[in-house]
Amino acid sequence: MAAPSPGPREVLAPSPEAGCRPATSTSGRRGLLWRLRDKQARLGLFEIGPGHELHQLTCMMQAGLWAATQVSMDHPPTGPPTEEDFSEVLTQVHEGFELGTLAGPAFAWLRHSLGLAEGDYQAALGPGGPYLQFLSTSKSKASFFLSHDQRFFLKTQRRREVRALLAHLPRYVQHLQRHPHSLLARLLGVHSLRVARGKKKFFIIMQSVFYPAGRISERYDIKGCEVSRWVEPAPEGSPLVLVLKDLNFQGKTIDLGPQRTWLLHQMELDTAFLRELNVLDYSLLMAFQRLHEDERGPGSSLIFRTARSVRGVQSPEEPGSQNRRLLPDSPNALHILDGPEQRYFLGLVDLSTVYGLRKRLEHLWKTLRYPGRTFSTVSPARYARRLCQWVEAHTE
């Protein structure tokens, strides 16, 4: 791979010419038609502009990510990542902060394999527009952001979660090669941010499952259990975008038609992989979007991609064993399944919780605290089986 030499390195970072200035002046430069369309697409989301408590943080993230992506643009991958690529740590020094890029060459190759142009990635995550914030129903203390075009999702992570993700990264890449239409969220980058010699904060970047979001009507986070799995819905007419949970989904089904068989098999493949990693507490994200009349019916929005993966990445597996499918001719096709009446956005996220001593003790405590009830902290084998059973019971 034509990348800088592996191992920890520290360099002075280049800076985007625009800095974070667009965040302070975008509304003044946009045309009226653009603003009206943007307002419709961002319903329930909040721009992190000047005066927001997270504005300075997100400006540093944007400048840092612009410079980090510039490295991969200057040194594009020429082949699959090596062991050194997975362990590389690059620290770029900016005015007032440092941004670290972990396993940068490996993620650059993964983005390339997904057909994601580095220039588009840099433009979406850099200072071209403010990040967006939404009200999360997660119980974690993580912060969540979306790029201004809502295509990429950023989430802060604990150090131990980052260690787990990086330890599993080679097998994760291998799984995506074997099963290019996997439901696993596409992890695109792992970074650290240190402000003025303070404590490092870590964050990850993923392809958003809920993209494009303009016509999505309902969103759910499913774990296949009942304890703490209810969210009070937003009042009628409220602009809030809430992600609901298992108990909110009671009495509903996912009508996939012929796609159901594919989904059940892919759930088995992906959860078996996560079970092998000793991972639990992941979620199946789901969203609904009603299809227009001209989008329904066989062949209306499908393209045949079963002879290759998304961008032609070669794999030694036979196409049948890869569980490929017909992908919709749409952005974010890997996370979209079309049923007879509805379009469904589906993806497995939060893949960094390992069933170690901490979670085993939590399992014992919850067994005593919630006798006879189902909760999220169970063994990886039971967790995988239960989530697959939930999908089977709620699809037709």
Side-chain angles (χ1 to χ4, degrees):
M1 178 169 294
S5 58
R9 294 185 301 118
E10 187 172 294
V11 299
L12 187 64
S15 298
E17 294 180 7
C20 204
R21 289 194 300 274
T24 66
S25 58
T26 46
S27 59
R29 295 202 302 266
R30 294 171 184 161
L32 176 62
L33 181 61
W34 193 97
R35 291 202 303 273
L36 290 173
R37 185 172 69 245
D38 189 50
K39 182 178 179 181
Q40 173 71 20
R42 294 183 178 184
L43 191 64
L45 298 171
F46 307 93
E47 287 190 357
I48 303 177
H52 193 290
E53 62 179 354
L54 297 174
H55 180 247
Q56 185 177 10
L57 173 67
T58 56
C59 280
M60 289 186 285
M61 293 170 69
Q62 288 181 317
L65 290 173
W66 186 95
T69 309
Q70 190 63 43
V71 172
S72 59
M73 293 172 68
D74 294 339
H75 304 277
T78 57
T82 65
E83 185 177 344
E84 289 78 13
D85 293 331
F86 284 113
S87 61
E88 179 177 298
V89 179
L90 173 66
T91 301
Q92 292 175 296
V93 181
H94 298 256
E95 185 177 352
F97 71 96
E98 299 174 356
L99 187 114
T101 299
L102 290 74
F107 282 114
W109 182 85
L110 183 56
R111 295 193 295 268
H112 174 75
S113 73
L114 294 170
L116 176 56
E118 291 293 90
D120 293 343
Y121 185 70
Q122 185 184 57
L125 293 168
Y131 285 169
L132 307 176
Q133 185 184 35
F134 59 93
L135 295 180
S136 170
T137 55
S138 170
K139 293 176 66 177
S140 76
K141 296 180 181 179
S143 297
F144 303 85
F145 311 107
L146 284 169
S147 59
H148 64 86
D149 59 0
Q150 303 185 49
R151 188 177 177 184
F152 303 112
F153 179 86
L154 302 91
K155 179 185 178 183
T156 58
Q157 297 270 269
R158 297 184 180 95
R159 184 183 294 269
R160 67 171 180 270
E161 294 172 327
V162 167
R163 279 199 298 261
L165 282 175
L166 293 176
H168 297 154
L169 185 58
R171 295 178 66 182
Y172 169 83
V173 170
Q174 186 180 55
H175 181 77
L176 294 186
Q177 284 184 277
R178 289 176 174 172
H179 305 289
H181 297 169
S182 167
L183 292 165
L184 298 183
R186 292 332 191 249
L187 185 62
L188 304 175
V190 176
H191 299 273
S192 66
L193 180 71
R194 186 202 300 271
V195 181
R197 299 188 179 277
K199 187 177 179 180
K200 278 186 180 180
K201 298 180 179 180
F202 293 89
F203 64 96
I204 63 171
I205 304 169
M206 306 186 318
Q207 200 163 288
S208 176
V209 174
F210 299 152
Y211 175 82
R215 288 162 49 200
I216 289 178
S217 58
E218 300 174 62
R219 297 166 173 82
Y220 293 89
D221 176 310
I222 301 297
K223 291 183 182 288
C225 59
E226 57 180 327
V227 172
S228 300
R229 302 305 297 166
W230 166 264
V231 171
E232 193 64 37
E236 188 76 23
S238 169
L240 292 179
V241 174
L242 292 181
V243 179
L244 305 177
K245 297 185 178 181
D246 300 62
L247 296 180
N248 300 94
F249 199 80
Q250 286 184 340
K252 301 182 180 183
T253 57
I254 305 167
D255 183 10
L256 288 171
Q259 300 262 37
R260 180 176 184 266
T261 301
W262 177 88
L263 175 63
L264 296 181
H265 185 39
Q266 193 59 53
M267 282 293 300
E268 292 283 351
L269 292 170
D270 288 333
T271 57
F273 168 68
L274 296 173
R275 183 181 68 237
E276 292 171 3
L277 297 182
N278 204 32
V279 165
L280 73 157
D281 218 17
Y282 44 90
S283 298
L284 175 65
L285 290 187
M286 301 191 309
F288 299 169
Q289 173 186 304
R290 180 161 291 278
L291 291 171
H292 290 153
E293 193 66 39
D294 60 353
E295 296 173 324
R296 301 175 189 173
S300 60
S301 64
L302 297 177
I303 55 177
F304 197 69
R305 288 184 176 173
T306 59
R308 55 183 174 87
S309 60
V310 183
R311 290 281 293 180
V313 175
Q314 298 300 311
S315 170
E317 305 290 328
E318 290 297 320
S321 66
Q322 291 183 312
N323 196 38
R324 298 173 189 253
R325 64 182 173 98
L326 292 171
L327 294 178
D329 189 11
S330 168
N332 202 27
L334 291 170
H335 289 301
I336 292 175
L337 273 79
D338 284 347
E341 303 288 333
Q342 298 258 23
R343 168 164 288 181
Y344 299 97
F345 297 76
L346 299 163
L348 291 165
V349 301
D350 297 336
L351 314 177
S352 60
T353 302
V354 176
Y355 194 53
L357 178 60
R358 182 193 301 264
K359 285 296 176 180
R360 292 174 190 273
L361 293 175
E362 184 179 329
H363 169 74
L364 292 175
W365 180 82
K366 286 186 175 180
T367 301
L368 298 174
R369 178 71 175 82
Y370 305 109
R373 300 181 67 191
T374 57
F375 46 84
S376 63
T377 313
V378 294
S379 72
R382 185 177 175 188
Y383 195 96
R385 181 170 63 251
R386 188 174 65 187
L387 188 56
C388 287
Q389 290 171 344
W390 188 97
V391 173
E392 186 170 9
H394 290 83
T395 53
E396 58 184 27

